């Protein structure tokens, strides 16, 4: 597997979800943290919001057969999503 280029070839031609087709019951997503905080200058610049504006930070890990496959941290502006935390908790 490593070094055979298979993953690279697949990632260039299909989506992650397409790679999982038929195997979805082997995958899970675990939320590690969900928080709202003031945007740092760096994050504000990337998101096009003001420094100190609310951002939502969502940290998750995707698992395959109970083993970590990848880790993500997503930050997005908080203003358009005033009830995000409670809506997400209800999933």
């Amino acid at each position: 597997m490593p070094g055979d280029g298979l993953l690279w070839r697949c990632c260039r031609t299909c989506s992650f979800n397409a790679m999982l087709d038929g195997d979805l019951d082997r995958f899970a997503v675990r939320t590690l943290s969900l928080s709202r905080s003031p945007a740092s200058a760096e994050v504000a610049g990337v998101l096009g919001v003001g420094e100190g504006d609310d951002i939502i930070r969502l940290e998750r890990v995707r698992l395959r057969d109970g083993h970590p496959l990848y880790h993500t941290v997503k930050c997005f502006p908080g203003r358009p999503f005033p009830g995000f935390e409670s809506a997400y908790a209800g999933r």
Side-chain angles (χ1 to χ4, degrees):
M1 284 236 310
D4 67 6
L6 178 62
L7 183 59
W8 172 247
R9 284 193 305 275
C10 187
C11 286
R12 291 181 59 207
T13 60
C14 65
S15 72
F16 184 77
N17 287 343
M19 289 188 292
L20 304 180
D21 193 32
D23 254 355
L24 293 179
D25 58 329
R26 298 175 64 190
F27 291 84
V29 177
R30 182 183 313 146
T31 299
L32 302 176
S33 68
L34 174 60
S35 61
R36 188 175 289 258
S37 60
S40 66
E42 180 182 9
V43 172
V46 170
L47 294 178
V49 299
E51 184 175 352
D53 285 359
D54 269 354
I55 60 150
I56 298 169
R57 182 180 182 276
L58 176 60
E59 181 179 10
R60 302 187 307 176
V61 63
R62 186 173 298 265
L63 308 157
R64 180 178 183 199
D65 298 329
H67 301 285
L69 183 62
Y70 73 85
H71 172 257
T72 61
V73 176
K74 298 175 183 179
C75 294
F76 45 99
R79 182 177 294 163
F81 308 101
F84 183 82
E85 294 88 341
S86 58
Y88 188 85
R91 296 175 4 131

